[in-house]
């Protein structure tokens, strides 16, 4: 009799454990899908932000855009992250294909912007950042590992306007030119002290496999994911050819 009671008690426990196990799997799958959706949204938002900025002729000078090897977009970076010193933002980076960056724009790698001080208060507004990578040194460094802006790669606030004179100043010799947009205002902004690196975890979710940022961007063998189509289309339309 006692043995029978023990068996009867074990059955509900087994059922409960089975249910909990199934639920844990469901939650894990849902969590993975949620993260993947967030990364897809970052790609879509990056394309939207870039198009809005490049559609305004008085924002980024066309001749600088045409000389850029790569473009990085970080949409909706929040000041709250600045205050606690956590992760500032997530976005995407696309480069012109080919060893000399002379080809069409290729598949993007997901990127992370972290740490450092942006040198001004943004308030409660979300801020969009656009970085122009102006040479091979800046591009190769960022695609390979974490880069500290101002130390591992020179960075300057990008000039704003329709055209830029070749004699503007030394900032045009920087590896990276950086811009921000907040509350409708667009301006060059210094990002010294911040770090930028490939977001390998997000790349794995977007591309479904372990693939390096350098291979994604430079090999020409990785297809552009659907979420990145608006971003790449905008770049191909606005600056189809590299100009030295």
């Amino acid at each position: 009799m006692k043995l029978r009671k023990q068996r009867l008690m074990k059955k509900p426990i087994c059922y409960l454990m089975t249910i909990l196990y199934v639920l844990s799997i469901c939650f894990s799958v849902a969590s993975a899908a949620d993260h993947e959706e967030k990364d897809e949204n970052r790609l879509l938002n990056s394309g939207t932000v870039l198009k809005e900025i490049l559609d305004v002729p008085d924002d980024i000078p066309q001749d600088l855009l045409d000389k850029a090897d790569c473009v990085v977009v970080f949409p909706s970076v929040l000041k709250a992250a600045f205050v606690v010193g956590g992760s500032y933002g997530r976005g995407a980076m696309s480069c012109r294909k080919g060893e000399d960056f002379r080809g069409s724009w290729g598949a993007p790698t997901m990127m992370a912007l972290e740490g450092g001080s942006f040198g001004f208060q943004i308030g409660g507004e979300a801020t969009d950042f656009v970085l122009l990578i102006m040479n091979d040194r800046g591009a190769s460094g960022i695609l390979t590992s974490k880069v500290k802006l101002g130390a591992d790669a020179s960075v300057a606030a990008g000039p704003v306007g329709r055209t830029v004179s070749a004699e503007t100043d030394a900032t045009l010799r920087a590896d990276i030119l950086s811009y921000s947009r907040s509350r409708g205002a667009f301006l060059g902004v210094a990002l010294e002290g911040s770090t930028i690196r490939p977001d390998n975890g997000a790349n794995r979710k977007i591309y479904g496999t372990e693939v390096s940022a350098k291979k994604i961007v430079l090999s020409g063998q990785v297809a552009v994911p659907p979420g990145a189509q608006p971003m790449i289309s905008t770049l191909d339309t606005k600056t189809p050819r590299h100009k030295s």
Side-chain angles (χ1 to χ4, degrees):
M1 186 73 177
K2 188 177 180 181
L3 184 61
R4 187 181 176 189
K5 278 187 176 181
Q6 287 178 340
R7 287 176 178 172
L8 289 173
M9 289 177 66
K10 283 182 179 179
K11 283 185 177 180
I13 294 174
C14 290
Y15 291 148
L16 180 60
M17 290 180 67
T18 301
I19 291 170
L20 290 174
Y21 177 71
V22 171
L23 286 175
S24 69
I25 293 175
C26 291
F27 281 127
S28 297
V29 172
S31 177
D34 183 54
H35 283 298
E36 186 174 347
E37 183 178 355
K38 285 182 179 178
D39 292 323
E40 286 284 347
N41 286 338
R42 287 191 189 105
L43 277 174
L44 290 169
N45 290 339
S46 295
T48 298
V49 166
L50 187 63
K51 186 176 188 308
E52 289 174 355
I53 289 173
L54 296 186
D55 278 348
V56 180
D58 288 331
D59 282 352
I60 297 176
Q62 184 66 44
D63 47 350
L64 288 183
L65 183 62
D66 290 340
K67 291 176 181 177
D69 291 346
C70 311
V71 173
V72 192
V73 185
F74 293 104
S76 300
V77 177
L78 298 174
K79 179 179 183 283
F82 297 6
V83 176
V84 299
S87 175
Y88 289 147
R90 296 290 185 267
M93 169 181 174
S94 177
C95 296
R96 301 178 196 270
K97 289 184 287 190
E99 291 184 7
D100 55 356
F101 299 98
R102 290 294 187 272
S104 57
W105 293 90
T109 173
M110 304 300 286
M111 300 297 293
L113 181 69
E114 301 166 331
S117 172
F118 287 85
F120 67 96
Q121 294 299 312
I122 298 174
E125 293 289 321
T127 301
D128 304 315
F129 289 94
V130 175
L131 281 61
L132 303 185
I133 315 300
M134 303 306 295
N135 53 45
D136 177 74
R137 178 174 177 266
S140 297
I142 289 174
L143 291 172
T144 303
S145 63
K146 179 185 288 188
V147 167
K148 187 171 184 178
L149 303 181
D152 303 320
S154 59
V155 60
V160 176
R162 289 177 180 271
T163 59
V164 176
S165 168
E167 302 82 32
T168 300
D169 56 35
T171 63
L172 297 187
R173 294 193 292 273
D175 298 322
I176 300 170
L177 298 177
S178 52
Y179 296 88
S180 74
R181 182 181 68 167
S182 180
R183 297 194 184 103
F186 185 84
L187 68 157
V189 58
L191 292 179
E192 290 192 10
S194 304
T195 60
I196 183 172
R197 64 170 176 82
D199 189 345
N200 295 317
N203 280 336
R204 188 165 53 250
K205 294 183 182 73
I206 290 293
Y207 292 101
T209 185
E210 198 77 38
V211 57
S212 70
K214 195 168 186 178
K215 182 175 182 179
I216 292 170
V217 172
L218 300 182
S219 70
Q221 299 172 359
V222 178
V224 176
Q229 291 291 349
M231 179 180 177
I232 304 307
S233 176
T234 293
L235 287 169
D236 281 334
T237 300
K238 297 293 184 179
T239 175
R241 292 184 298 123
H242 189 284
K243 297 180 181 178
S244 301

